[in-house]
Amino acid sequence: MNILQRSSGRKCSANKPMQRWFFPALLLIFLGACLFSLLAGSTRLNLPDAVRAALQGNTGDPACRILLHVRLPRTLASVLSGSALAVSGVLLQAALGNPLAAPNLIGVNAGAGFAAVLLLTAFPSLSGAVPFAAFAGALGASLLIFALAAGTGARRSTILLAGVAVSSILTAGINALKTLFPDQLFNANTFLIGGFSGVSLRNLSPAWILIAAGLLSAALSARETDLLTLGDETAAGLGLNVPLTRFFLLMAASCLAGAAVSFSGLIGFVGLLVPHIARRFTGCRHRLLIPASALLGAALVLVCDTLSRVLFAPYELPVGILLSLLGGPFFLFLLLHKKSGRET
């Protein structure tokens, strides 16, 4: 697809030797992060002994209980959330044509959070429907921002500002519900910051199904996503149904972000950090960028969550704080290093 390479420019290119070693190295980093997450914490585990106890059915063994009921669910939650938010960022940046687009920056996370909090406030017994409510809220926020930009003929850079405004409104709605209904939302602080404390395997269902469907859809639509990044006129000239493709990508991104938010809370900056880092090694081809972002996002959240457990043990720092400390400076770096006069 030579036209894509010519249109992408130097910043999206990656040399072939770098691509060859990047994926094996990333896979090793991911597996190491999984092992780190399973073993590290306020109580260090001997993995062989814990696995042996689990296989023998010795659920009374303390190490076995910690591994099965604390560390394993938390590791799976970190993997699912990190990969979902990272790929959601990739899709949003392609659909909106803005490299600064990310689920937390343009209101997608806030939309998912508001819908989830509203459901828990109105129908506390329907906690199992939180992933679907979060998905609906994320999709609604995405479509609202897109409609505002398209309806006013706004420049691409204005989409980010519209997203910030929508995010502020939805966050205000979350805080209002939290203030008015404190009994129903007694643990809302953890949700608003983002973290995996207390997560269980039951919390991951049916969210993992939505995440798996979203990741598969993103991978299968890699070619169409590549075409969309060439610009609307060029993509349409190559036979792409631009409005339908953009809507599909927004829906997939909302599915991923909404499902992740349902059990991880409002974790931010993963969808901004990871795609930019992955592009340095893979280039702009989404058939490489999407799996690279999924693995890198999972590894990043795994490492940050584990560090949040061990840095101040036995006290725990919510992983959302650590990710914000990383993501905030990175966002400022992107803003300061944009080329003068270049539209994003």
Side-chain angles (χ1 to χ4, degrees):
M1 200 167 172
N2 294 329
I3 188 172
L4 176 65
Q5 293 175 342
R6 291 195 298 269
S7 300
S8 298
R10 292 184 180 177
K11 293 185 71 177
C12 271
S13 64
N15 58 60
K16 293 298 179 66
M18 184 178 292
Q19 288 183 355
R20 281 197 294 268
W21 65 256
F22 175 66
F23 277 97
L26 182 57
L27 183 59
L28 288 176
I29 292 172
F30 168 72
L31 294 176
C34 289
L35 190 61
F36 183 40
S37 177
L38 290 172
L39 296 180
S42 57
T43 300
R44 294 185 180 180
L45 293 184
N46 184 320
L47 187 60
D49 291 343
V51 172
R52 189 180 304 111
L55 293 177
Q56 293 174 353
N58 184 12
T59 56
D61 184 87
C64 176
R65 290 201 303 270
I66 293 174
L67 177 66
L68 295 181
H69 301 295
V70 179
R71 300 284 173 80
L72 182 61
R74 192 155 184 164
T75 299
L76 291 175
S78 298
V79 170
L80 289 171
S81 177
S83 59
L85 292 173
V87 175
S88 178
V90 171
L91 299 182
L92 285 174
Q93 289 167 16
L96 300 179
N98 193 322
L100 298 181
N104 66 302
L105 294 179
I106 69 167
V108 177
N109 275 14
F114 177 75
V117 169
L118 183 63
L119 176 70
L120 292 175
T121 301
F123 306 100
S125 61
L126 297 180
S127 58
V130 166
F132 299 103
F135 162 63
L139 179 61
S142 298
L143 295 179
L144 175 60
I145 295 162
F146 179 66
L148 288 172
T152 60
R155 297 171 58 188
R156 290 178 178 177
S157 57
T158 311
I159 295 176
L160 182 64
L161 300 178
V164 171
V166 171
S167 180
S168 298
I169 295 171
L170 293 172
T171 301
I174 294 174
N175 290 330
L177 290 174
K178 176 187 166 186
T179 301
L180 295 174
F181 303 96
D183 294 335
Q184 290 91 327
L185 303 173
F186 64 92
N187 60 346
N189 284 332
T190 302
F191 178 84
L192 295 177
I193 296 173
F196 304 105
S197 179
V199 70
S200 66
L201 293 177
R202 187 167 59 92
N203 299 134
L204 304 182
S205 179
W208 73 268
I209 300 175
L210 294 176
I211 291 175
L215 293 176
L216 180 61
S217 299
L220 294 177
S221 62
R223 180 181 177 276
E224 290 75 12
T225 309
D226 284 341
L227 292 176
L228 189 63
T229 58
L230 299 176
D232 290 2
E233 293 183 2
T234 303
L238 293 172
L240 183 71
N241 187 330
V242 173
L244 181 61
T245 301
R246 181 170 283 116
F247 176 80
F248 175 80
L249 294 182
L250 286 172
M251 186 171 182
S254 302
C255 173
L256 290 167
V261 165
S262 69
F263 61 83
S264 67
L266 302 184
I267 290 178
F269 290 107
V270 177
L272 177 68
L273 275 166
V274 173
H276 283 277
I277 297 173
R279 283 191 192 95
R280 304 283 294 183
F281 298 94
T282 66
C284 281
R285 293 289 188 89
H286 285 82
R287 67 182 180 86
L288 298 177
L289 180 59
I290 288 172
S293 296
L295 277 175
L296 186 58
L300 174 66
V301 175
L302 276 169
V303 171
C304 288
D305 180 58
T306 309
L307 290 176
S308 71
R309 284 185 271 143
V310 301
L311 287 177
F312 303 100
Y315 301 102
E316 180 177 324
L317 184 72
V319 67
I321 294 177
L322 194 56
L323 285 167
S324 295
L325 289 174
L326 292 174
F330 185 80
F331 181 61
L332 292 176
F333 172 81
L334 291 178
L335 289 177
L336 294 174
H337 284 76
K338 287 197 308 181
K339 288 185 178 179
S340 177
R342 182 175 177 179
E343 185 177 319
T344 59

